[in-house]
Amino acid sequence: MSEKKLVYLAGPLFTHAELEYNRKLRDTLLNNGFSVFLPQEDAEDAAQERERQNQECIFLKCVEGIDASDIIVAVLDGADVDAGTAWEAGYAYAKGKPVIGLRTDFRELSDGIVNLMLEMAIVALARDEEELIKIIEKYQ
C-alpha cells in the first residue's frame, strides 16, 4: 500500500465561516485518502503560543508544513485572495510543489479568474470540492 500524500491546506482562517470551511475541506481530503496539514490547527493550536502571540513560531510551523507536504491546496475565494494564502502558494511554487487552486467564488476579474501571478503558479483550478478530489487524485 502506498503512503498517503500530505496536503497542505492554505486558506483564509479569520472568520468562523472560514475556519469551519477549512475543517470541512480537511475532512473531505482525509476521507479521500490524504493526510492534511491544516495551519489553523497544526501551526497555531498551542495555547501558550497564542497567549505569547508568537508569530515567528506560527510562521515557521507553516513553512515546515509546506516543506513537508507533497501537494498544496489553496482556497482562492474572495474578491481578493487572502494574502497569507497567496504567500503560501508562491512559496510552494518556488519549492517546485504542485499547487491546486480551489475557487468556489463565482466572481472573476476582468482579465482572469484570480490574480495573474496566482493563476500562473497553480497546476489546476477546481470550482468545487468534487472537482478538487478528481484533480488531486492524479497526485496520489
Side-chain angles (χ1 to χ4, degrees):
M1 182 183 253
S2 65
E3 187 176 314
K4 288 183 179 183
K5 296 286 185 177
L6 178 59
V7 175
Y8 182 98
L9 182 51
L13 44 75
F14 301 101
T15 68
H16 291 290
E18 291 166 341
L19 293 169
E20 188 58 35
Y21 182 69
N22 293 342
R23 283 189 286 273
K24 175 189 172 206
L25 193 52
R26 176 211 46 212
D27 293 346
T28 298
L29 291 165
L30 290 171
N31 290 335
N32 281 276
F34 294 93
S35 296
V36 180
F37 183 97
L38 183 61
Q40 71 196 47
E41 294 178 1
D42 297 322
E44 58 181 285
D45 199 20
Q48 68 266 26
E49 296 304 330
R50 284 196 308 263
E51 289 169 12
R52 291 191 315 216
Q53 298 287 318
N54 191 339
Q55 294 179 344
E56 182 181 12
C57 181
I58 293 167
F59 172 80
L60 291 174
K61 286 180 183 178
C62 288
V63 168
E64 290 169 5
I66 294 169
D67 288 344
S69 295
D70 301 297
I71 304 159
I72 286 63
V73 170
V75 178
L76 305 177
D77 286 340
D80 196 20
V81 173
D82 172 69
T85 302
W87 186 93
E88 290 162 319
Y91 177 76
Y93 173 82
K95 299 290 277 185
K97 298 192 181 262
V99 180
I100 300 169
L102 172 62
R103 185 165 175 87
T104 64
D105 194 328
F106 64 86
R107 295 173 287 187
E108 295 184 6
L109 300 174
S110 61
D111 57 349
I113 302 205
V114 293
N115 173 284
L116 167 71
M117 298 304 284
L118 276 169
E119 202 163 319
M120 295 293 104
I122 61 177
V123 296
L125 181 68
R127 294 305 224 150
D128 58 35
E129 296 84 5
E130 186 177 310
E131 186 178 9
L132 173 67
I133 295 304
K134 288 179 184 174
I135 292 169
I136 202 169
E137 283 178 343
K138 296 175 186 173
Y139 294 91
Q140 199 149 317

